[in-house]
Amino acid sequence: MAAIVLLSHATIMPPRASSSKTTIIAGILAGLLTAGLVAFYLHQQSAPHAGNAPAVSNQAAQEQNARAVDALMALPEIKAWSAHIEKASGGRAHGAVMETSPETRLVDGVAGYQLSFFESTPDAAHRWESFVVTPDGKRILVDDIATGELISLEQWRKDNAPMQRIATQ
């Protein structure tokens, strides 16, 4: 037999304590949302105006941009840097990839997206590295801001040892 119990007064449950894991996940999502909104805003600012027919449809351009961002985020350095930033800041800072210029940059005749990896803190965003990624995400070059030259990932890894950046911090 089922019994029905009626309470004579409302039962109020105290709010559940938030775990640090929940806070970290919320922070990551907030950082990614911010990065996405910034990229969307920059992309909208560079979108052709009425009367100018785009060479690539807006949807296709967004898909290409997303592929380029995904390819960059898949790099082991970006993954490690992001994890380090989260851990070192106790979840107050996050790694983010953002489009840094609405203009594409030609690489061997292919227009590449100019993307950067940032450490996003509550107060500011700090650029760690800049990249140019082809629309298909298959070619990623590192922008050497000192020389203005693009270098291959292999050369960048050899010359700069990017994983050491977090090993010494």
Side-chain angles (χ1 to χ4, degrees), residues 6 14 21 29 44 92 122 169:
L6 296 175
K21 185 175 183 180
L29 292 175
Q44 291 297 358
R92 292 183 311 277
Q169 291 184 353

Side-chain angles (χ1 to χ4, degrees), residues 134-151:
T134 57
D136 61 6
K138 293 182 180 179
R139 187 167 183 205
I140 300 173
L141 299 169
V142 182
D143 190 359
D144 183 350
I145 60 169
T147 65
E149 298 293 319
L150 296 174
I151 59 175

Side-chain angles (χ1 to χ4, degrees), residues 1 4 7 14 17 24 26 34-35 40 45 51 65-66 69 80 83 115 121 126 133 135 143 150 155 159 166 169:
M1 284 195 250
I4 298 176
L7 298 176
I24 290 170
T34 301
F40 178 75
Q45 295 300 313
N65 184 295
V69 169
L115 306 170
T121 68
H126 307 280
V133 184
D143 190 359
L150 296 174
Q155 190 67 43
D159 294 347
I166 59 174
Q169 291 184 353

Side-chain angles (χ1 to χ4, degrees), residues 16-29 86 90-91 94:
R16 190 181 85 180
S18 180
S19 71
S20 61
K21 185 175 183 180
T22 302
T23 303
I24 290 170
I25 292 170
I28 290 170
L29 292 175
E86 289 284 330
H94 313 283

